[in-house]
Amino acid sequence: AQTVTQSQPEMSVQEAETVTLSCTYDTSESDYYLFWYKQPPSRQMILVIRQEAYKQQNATENRFSVNFQKAAKSFSLKISDSQLGDAAMYFCAYRTLPSGNTPLVFGKGTRLSVIA
Amino acid sequence: KAGVTQTPRYLIKTRGQQVTLSCSPISGHRSVSWYQQTPGQGLQFLFEYFSETQRNKGNFPGRFSGRQFSNSRSEMNVSTLELGDSALYLCASRHDPNRAEEQYFGPGTRLTVT
């Protein structure tokens, strides 16, 4: 079974600084998707960024970027120029391809605090 | 487009009772998934429905059931509630479960069992 591990239960970052959240996963599949979701205190889960395993180029969305290391099964999220609104729980998630007919498997999450 | 909506947002029930939660997906989305979120276990998959059929089921007891209607709205039912069922129940929708596209989540229903 696939598993997703987030080894940092809590992280903090100064406003305007950069922080990296770690995620590792275990799978025997070669094709899959990886996601980072953000859950602010209001609890609405929001997709931050996604990465297709077959793409070597790391995904980027504005201040958010990933470092995808397929061989190491590592998928870290980098937040640049951190803002107070970035404070939230961040979940790393995995889904197998090709059918997509499998549920998302989530890590336990990392709580990010942003210090003004 | 309106996002995923869930009702009610908060619910308090007593052990042994049953509860029904509702989820309305984004317009045009035909797949609805349910997740249970607790501090100890994190996010765990309950089930996914597409075209009124259950496509996938997580490792939960039979007290947890669901259904989907022809308009893609979904309900989740928990019978004989236990204290351990206290959790945030999240619903997520996507257009096509045969593609590994991202899901869009609702705000959740906070269930407290006393």
Side-chain angles (χ1 to χ4, degrees):
Chain A
Q2 293 86 5
T3 57
V4 177
T5 302
Q6 293 179 249
S7 59
Q8 306 151 316
E10 296 184 357
M11 293 279 287
S12 62
V13 62
Q14 292 279 349
E15 201 175 1
E17 296 297 310
T18 296
V19 65
T20 298
L21 309 183
S22 300
C23 172
T24 58
Y25 56 95
D26 186 23
T27 182
S28 57
E29 304 290 335
S30 59
D31 291 329
Y32 47 86
Y33 273 89
L34 294 163
F35 305 89
W36 277 99
Y37 279 90
K38 170 186 177 181
Q39 188 178 40
S42 67
R43 302 194 182 108
Q44 188 102 29
M45 193 92 72
I46 305 164
L47 178 70
V48 174
I49 199 166
R50 78 177 200 178
Q51 174 81 42
E52 294 89 335
Y54 64 88
K55 289 187 178 179
Q56 293 186 343
Q57 186 173 6
N58 288 325
T60 299
E61 286 288 344
N62 300 315
R63 297 181 296 107
F64 299 88
S65 61
V66 298
N67 183 5
F68 173 49
Q69 302 289 329
K70 191 172 184 180
K73 296 180 183 175
S74 171
F75 183 61
S76 60
L77 174 70
K78 185 171 83 171
I79 306 174
S80 304
D81 186 26
S82 297
Q83 301 175 359
L84 294 177
D86 295 333
M89 282 291 289
Y90 285 83
F91 293 95
C92 179
Y94 164 102
R95 190 197 300 276
T96 304
L97 278 176
S99 70
N101 187 25
T102 54
L104 280 169
V105 177
F106 285 91
K108 290 290 180 72
T110 296
R111 183 177 301 281
L112 178 66
S113 301
V114 181
I115 303 166
Chain B
K1 280 187 180 177
V4 178
T5 58
Q6 292 186 246
T7 56
R9 292 293 308 278
Y10 302 91
L11 206 50
I12 299 175
K13 289 287 188 179
T14 305
R15 270 182 303 178
Q17 289 185 316
Q18 74 164 11
V19 67
T20 298
L21 313 181
S22 181
C23 171
S24 293
I26 290 172
S27 178
H29 285 193
R30 299 179 297 166
S31 167
V32 173
S33 296
W34 289 90
Y35 293 84
Q36 181 195 64
Q37 185 177 16
T38 59
Q41 297 299 318
L43 281 147
Q44 294 185 289
F45 172 74
L46 282 156
F47 26 66
E48 180 173 23
Y49 285 88
F50 174 70
S51 293
E52 303 177 62
T53 301
Q54 188 179 87
R55 289 287 297 260
N56 221 332
K57 189 177 191 303
N59 189 26
F60 278 81
R63 300 185 298 106
F64 291 81
S65 63
R67 59 177 176 170
Q68 187 180 34
F69 302 94
S70 57
N71 62 358
S72 294
R73 189 178 71 85
S74 177
E75 287 183 348
M76 187 192 115
N77 183 274
V78 188
S79 62
T80 320
L81 284 165
E82 300 177 1
L83 294 179
D85 297 333
S86 294
L88 181 67
Y89 289 89
L90 292 170
C91 162
S93 76
R94 55 178 171 158
H95 184 263
D96 184 351
N98 293 311
R99 294 169 52 194
E101 57 191 13
E102 58 265 30
Q103 292 177 315
Y104 295 86
F105 285 82
T109 294
R110 168 70 65 187
L111 172 64
T112 302
V113 182
T114 62

